[in-house]
Amino acid sequence: MEKCKTSEARVIDYVYGELDQSESSAFEQHLATCSKCTRKVYSYSHVLHLVDDAESEFLPVALAPRNLEAKLYKRLADAPPEKNSILSRLSNYFSNLLLVLHEQKVASICIFSIAAIAVAFFVGNPFRPTTLDINRINSADARIEQYRHNDIQRNLEDVLRKKHLRHSDSWDTVSQLNRVKDQAQGTDWANIAKNQLKRVHSEF
Amino acid sequence: MDKMIDDEMLVAQFKSGSQKAFDELMKRYERRIFGYLLRSVRNYEDAEELTLEVFFKAYRALGTWEPKAKFSTWLYTIASNLSIDFHRAKSRQPVYMLEDEDVIEKRLIATDISSNPEKNLEDKERGRIIREAVDELSAKQKSVFMLARYEGMQIKEVAETLGMAEGTVKIHLHRAIKKLQTLLRPLWENNEI
Ligand SMILES: [Zn+2]
């Protein structure tokens, strides 16, 4: 029997489908006469079949990760800013303004805040505390800020809903409100959370 | 979704301030990147986290990105680097987590495109053993194998993605199949032929 001089690499290329048409048909002609190469082709092909089956069993259809878009914008919001944007300057301005108001202990801000949360909570009005028209600013910052505000609002509503339905005790409510307050730093929501905290303290 | 708008156009739109362009790019590739990473780390939560990281990095770098390759190739490059870092960090052993398969299965059932429900335990066990063999490949062998076999890439594109010469890609592909053959031989010597 003639000793076969076909390289292992050629067999593997054939199995992977990496040979061009003429190389491939020449090799197939060789296969008709060479049992050694035929066995190798069978063996490698079988390996690939096994792996393909196992992999398609693992992931039979393409799945999408959950809430990628929302998570991305939240992540971008949490990440340190790359540049000093208009929005971060604006939000600094607002938080400074709030600090001043807070130090003066203006009683009206309490009323305003309670009214605001009542509107946001009971009417579901997408109230935006920074008074920026997000739609007009089609920038990354606006989108990030919007997601951040939505997130804070959702969390705050969640706390109040649970409190309202008596699904959490005062200790829970206080710790949740504190968490929202931290999350909301630099926005009006922080103040709203603070006022809610005061109310919880006086209620219990 | 307008398929006629190609990725490069969307990248240009993003650079001129369109958020929607990035959302569209993300929609186009989130499944592929997630699937690639899921096969790489075999863990649902980690794959989600890494997918987020890929798009986070892409978002931040896209503004100054100069296209030398396709946008999708660039995404896969980011994903490959992250998965290599991930395995390096977890180098003790990339533990195969059975729970994650359950998570995937639940999601598949939830999306009502479940695979063969009557699949028996023996088949599942066999699949798991085979995937463990795939996970035994070196990081480079596995990346090359996965990109070529399941992400539909030509050798040239795999080379671009991983920053390797085409010859090196071929070497890794060859080693991968030989190693798999060695590892899986007991399986078919016992059960088949
Ligand atoms: Zn031969």
Side-chain angles (χ1 to χ4, degrees):
Chain A
M1 200 212 271
E2 188 87 5
K3 207 178 172 207
C4 173
K5 287 182 190 131
T6 309
S7 70
E8 195 79 8
R10 195 154 196 87
V11 179
I12 293 175
D13 278 342
Y14 174 75
V15 172
Y16 273 130
E18 292 292 340
L19 297 181
D20 65 35
Q21 194 141 33
S22 67
E23 288 173 320
S24 183
S25 51
F27 184 70
E28 275 162 8
Q29 274 178 5
H30 169 73
L31 281 179
T33 62
C34 179
S35 61
K36 196 178 158 200
C37 285
T38 304
R39 259 201 317 277
K40 282 184 185 170
V41 165
Y42 176 79
S43 168
Y44 284 131
S45 304
H46 191 59
V47 168
L48 289 183
H49 278 303
L50 286 175
V51 175
D52 286 350
D53 281 353
E55 290 297 345
S56 74
E57 179 195 68
F58 179 68
L59 200 53
V61 289
L63 289 178
R66 290 163 296 186
N67 308 325
L68 181 64
E69 195 182 305
K71 282 183 195 162
L72 175 72
Y73 287 106
K74 186 177 183 321
R75 175 79 201 278
L76 286 164
D78 291 343
E82 284 181 304
K83 55 188 189 291
N84 199 3
S85 63
I86 297 172
L87 212 120
S88 62
R89 264 179 278 141
L90 265 176
S91 104
N92 279 343
Y93 167 74
F94 272 106
S95 59
N96 288 341
L97 185 70
L98 278 171
L99 258 176
V100 172
L101 286 173
H102 179 67
E103 274 169 16
Q104 291 177 350
K105 297 205 189 308
V106 182
S108 62
I109 192 140
C110 293
I111 296 157
F112 165 74
S113 301
I114 292 163
I117 191 70
V119 167
F121 179 51
F122 292 108
V123 185
N125 186 357
F127 174 75
R128 304 254 181 276
T130 47
T131 68
L132 275 172
D133 187 350
I134 300 295
N135 293 329
R136 264 189 311 172
I137 305 170
N138 183 25
S139 74
D141 288 336
R143 179 74 75 92
I144 291 163
E145 201 58 13
Q146 186 189 331
Y147 272 95
R148 194 160 93 91
H149 281 281
N150 290 348
D151 201 37
I152 296 167
Q153 182 176 341
R154 237 187 339 264
N155 290 340
L156 195 53
E157 285 174 4
D158 194 45
V159 180
L160 296 179
R161 196 178 298 119
K162 280 182 184 153
K163 183 182 158 232
H164 178 71
L165 297 172
R166 309 247 178 249
H167 279 166
S168 50
D169 58 22
S170 65
W171 190 85
D172 266 346
T173 308
V174 167
S175 69
Q176 282 164 4
L177 280 173
N178 271 321
R179 224 173 301 141
V180 174
K181 198 185 79 189
D182 289 346
Q183 186 197 11
Q185 251 170 35
T187 71
D188 280 13
W189 295 112
N191 237 41
I192 294 167
K194 217 181 288 170
N195 287 320
Q196 287 297 320
L197 271 169
K198 275 188 209 156
R199 279 186 60 176
V200 174
H201 283 306
S202 64
E203 279 169 21
F204 288 99
Chain B
M1 195 195 312
D2 191 353
K3 283 279 176 201
M4 297 308 286
I5 300 178
D6 64 16
D7 293 353
E8 279 63 35
M9 186 71 88
L10 287 168
V11 170
Q13 286 175 1
F14 173 76
K15 284 186 179 187
S16 58
S18 163
Q19 284 302 296
K20 283 203 173 119
F22 193 85
D23 294 346
E24 172 62 25
L25 285 167
M26 195 150 59
K27 223 178 287 164
R28 283 185 188 185
Y29 293 107
E30 59 175 2
R31 286 166 189 267
R32 283 171 59 185
I33 294 294
F34 180 60
Y36 173 59
L37 287 165
L38 194 51
R39 286 206 167 98
S40 172
V41 301
R42 305 283 189 206
N43 175 316
Y44 202 91
E45 305 293 326
D46 290 335
E48 277 195 335
E49 195 54 45
L50 287 173
T51 305
L52 174 61
E53 192 68 22
V54 169
F55 285 100
F56 176 75
K57 280 181 184 278
Y59 186 99
R60 290 198 139 193
L62 194 56
T64 54
W65 180 63
E66 294 300 333
K68 289 185 202 93
K70 287 195 290 184
F71 174 76
S72 60
T73 307
W74 182 58
L75 279 184
Y76 276 107
T77 303
I78 300 174
S80 300
N81 289 338
L82 284 172
S83 100
I84 286 169
D85 290 347
F86 177 88
H87 284 299
R88 202 172 286 146
K90 268 201 165 181
S91 61
R92 273 173 297 132
Q93 45 185 155
V95 188
Y96 203 88
M97 296 193 181
L98 206 68
E99 313 90 81
D100 284 284
E101 296 214 321
D102 295 340
V103 174
I104 291 167
E105 206 170 311
K106 271 182 206 138
R107 284 214 59 203
L108 287 170
I109 290 165
T111 47
D112 211 18
I113 338 170
S114 171
S115 61
N116 230 347
E118 69 267 22
K119 190 148 280 203
N120 64 39
L121 211 68
E122 212 171 291
D123 270 3
K124 275 192 163 181
E125 180 62 11
R126 202 171 80 129
R128 197 178 58 82
I129 290 166
I130 293 164
R131 288 189 292 277
E132 276 176 346
V134 173
D135 297 344
E136 285 282 305
L137 298 175
S138 76
K140 281 178 182 171
Q141 284 168 2
K142 189 176 166 185
S143 300
V144 166
F145 185 80
M146 290 292 158
L147 291 172
R149 192 99 194 135
Y150 303 115
E151 304 305 321
M153 286 190 190
Q154 303 288 307
I155 286 182
K156 185 173 177 289
E157 200 181 350
V158 177
E160 275 176 17
T161 303
L162 300 175
M164 288 175 184
E166 288 181 39
T168 314
V169 170
K170 277 194 143 194
I171 289 170
H172 284 307
L173 262 183
H174 285 204
R175 287 186 184 156
I177 198 171
K178 282 188 186 175
K179 186 162 180 184
L180 287 170
Q181 189 192 42
T182 310
L183 291 169
L184 297 177
R185 183 166 281 144
L187 201 66
W188 84 77
E189 279 179 350
N190 294 339
N191 298 335
E192 283 159 52
I193 307 179

